[in-house]
Amino acid sequence: MKYADMFRATENFTLKDEDAGLRRLGAAAAGVPDAKQLDKELTRELAQHIAEWQDVFTASRSKKLLIILQGMDTSGKDGTVKAVFGDINPLGARTVAFKAPTQQEKDHDYLWRIHQAVPGAGEIVIFNRSHYEDVLITRVHDWISEKECEQRYGHIRDFERMLTDTGTVILKFFLHISKAEQKQRLEERLKDPQKHWKFDPSDLAERAHWDAYQRAYENAVRATNAPHAPWFIVPADSKTQRNLVIAHIVREILDNLQLKYPAPHPEYASIRVPD
Amino acid sequence: MKYADMFRATENFTLKDEDAGLRRLGAAAAGVPDAKQLDKELTRELAQHIAEWQDVFTASRSKKLLIILQGMDTSGKDGTVKAVFGDINPLGARTVAFKAPTQQEKDHDYLWRIHQAVPGAGEIVIFNRSHYEDVLITRVHDWISEKECEQRYGHIRDFERMLTDTGTVILKFFLHISKAEQKQRLEERLKDPQKHWKFDPSDLAERAHWDAYQRAYENAVRATNAPHAPWFIVPADSKTQRNLVIAHIVREILDNLQLKYPAPHPEYASIRVPD
């Protein structure tokens, strides 16, 4: 589990902008020309491998897979879904994007809408944002106290423990970009007519709280990192490398599950299909 | 909180058939004639009080109320809903009866369907059976191991803790009938043409596991009894007294919440409704 080990959050990790940049990994590390292109091709192969793995996953129905993507605005959550999970069969998979809660959602506990969306047996669900927003944006803006935030960490640990106890594999990715990289991506959204629709003035308001967000992420990741529901901190200033790293990690962990197609029914051996 | 204290499950309580019978309580204790009729009238008054209380509960929107009813077949869960909660406004209340799980429900963790049904702000929800079936019938029939059952007690404690942390008042009632009383009620269902539709042959199959059920209830109640989510063991061989006791407990606990109508908006004072 080379990549999974390399990027799993450590107990006292901190978020530093310089760690968001390109690493000497994959084709880039070998110094080959067209390294970026080679990495893209490798990601595509890994994505296809994941899609093939989905077949045995659906057939065995013994597990549920929950992928959680978190990160600052423009960190590439949508791009990751497309690059790494673009080949899986939508019949057994869903992506759920959690927005600001509706009035009905606010009337319930913050895990209510989350629990409804978790995967069933043989299903893959990708959360684009998640219950972690309830200890991030809420904490940064002081909508909840530090005490309430600590209480929520406990709820989240209990909730994820229950999900894994009942057969869910949980993988949590923080897409780590630097403040400078976000500036560039926001400017692109403003300049490029094809990306203009993605720009939201509220992104600038949140950017003003950059440091508070980094601390909130550090605290949340430390408090909820667990062997059964690990956090991976993925350098994401390079989109190519971000996709490659996530695809590697997902593939490694899925292969490690060693799922098998269900054994054939012995009595089926004697069945003859009539003419 | 007289009745609540009297019937709250103690740490090492046991279920004995003799405790299911009529107690010297209410009008019966005073030895007045027509005690049963008087108790019925008092229950009706308490039910109306609860219905009136619902108005301030809905208006304040500060809390959620979850009532859980558990008990052997014929113990009177439906009758309790009618007698104690029959007067509340259905606009802000729901009764949810949990049956054998569907395939989609089985594909998820056992708390998935439960969490979807919990009350929102200002809402009253009554569970007729609940997640407790997942440590009762499942354990009696050995569909889950003792170890898995203990693990589920932990999940249930965590889940109910999270619900109460986020504003839910949880009251859990075990309607305690004796084996002899159940025999009589099942026979009534067989004889009385008006009750015949309620008879289900599978009730007899479950009755054969009577002792195992009593032990499973004892274990579940002991493992999940908590100050914030208390269990009440209600003697239920007498329907009149069962209703009276539950109505008293609910009323006491609701009154104790001391809910208030929201304060009027100061700026409303100067509003003049035009002709």
Side-chain angles (χ1 to χ4, degrees), chain A residues 214-234:
Chain A
Q214 303 295 300
R215 297 301 84 76
Y217 264 112
E218 283 173 355
N219 292 335
V221 167
R222 282 184 207 144
T224 59
N225 198 20
H228 60 273
W231 272 107
F232 300 96
I233 311 300
V234 180

Side-chain angles (χ1 to χ4, degrees), chain A residues 197-239:
Chain A
W197 63 275
K198 282 182 148 188
F199 182 80
D200 181 340
S202 78
D203 293 351
L204 293 184
E206 296 308 319
R207 178 175 166 80
H209 298 283
W210 184 272
D211 289 340
Y213 268 108
Q214 303 295 300
R215 297 301 84 76
Y217 264 112
E218 283 173 355
N219 292 335
V221 167
R222 282 184 207 144
T224 59
N225 198 20
H228 60 273
W231 272 107
F232 300 96
I233 311 300
V234 180
D237 277 0
S238 155
K239 295 175 187 177

Side-chain angles (χ1 to χ4, degrees), chain B residues 113-130:
Chain B
R113 62 175 185 165
I114 306 294
H115 203 166
Q116 291 184 31
V118 300
E123 198 181 15
I124 299 173
V125 172
I126 299 152
F127 281 180
N128 183 335
R129 302 187 186 275
S130 66

